[in-house]
Amino acid sequence: DLFGATQGTVDPCAGMNRDSTWCLSELVIAACMEVHSELGPGLLESMYEASLCEELEHRGIPYERQKPVAVSYKGKDLEQSYRIDLLVDGRLVIEIKALDELLAVHAAQLITYLRVTGVDDGLLVNFNAVSLRHGLRRLSRTHKSSRPPVLPVKKSGSV
């Protein structure tokens, strides 16, 4: 299973720094894949959010649901705040959608949420996709590589 959506004895983060947000996002993607596999497309965002919370709980992944975030404008705190769908382990924002397709504005929304919260990384997850692979976007506000570092391969002597 490419995304590790089913639980097994193999550690999906083996060889990676356990503190890395990349590893955390892989674990969350696996949980999203499990939810999508169980429920399929066509439900409301709130159903996917509740189910994902159950799956994260089952996997022992810490999260905060509907976390209020204060917003300031030109240095002044506004009375209104907004709520992010999920904040996983204090370092990964999850924005859940159930749409026909993701648009550029949805990615821009998540980038704004990252900027306002000060969190570097996020996942945009559209559970209404037929295949969740097409409904996932991993985004970062820090322009770092979207893949974990690749270790150099030692080449054996030439033939």
Side-chain angles (χ1 to χ4, degrees), residues 69-112:
V69 177
V71 178
S72 63
Y73 179 74
K74 294 188 176 184
K76 181 180 179 187
D77 289 338
L78 302 177
E79 288 182 26
Q80 288 186 307
S81 65
Y82 78 96
R83 296 180 180 272
I84 54 176
D85 292 339
L86 297 173
L87 179 62
V88 179
D89 198 29
R91 57 194 168 115
L92 185 68
V93 173
I94 311 298
E95 180 61 24
I96 297 171
K97 300 291 184 190
L99 305 166
D100 288 337
E101 68 179 288
L102 290 175
L103 302 174
V105 69
H106 301 121
Q109 176 187 25
L110 179 54
I111 293 292
T112 298

Side-chain angles (χ1 to χ4, degrees), residues 8-9 16 22 28 42 63 69 74 78 96 104 113 134:
T9 58
M16 287 189 207
W22 179 268
V28 173
Y63 68 91
V69 177
K74 294 188 176 184
L78 302 177
I96 297 171
Y113 289 175
H134 303 294

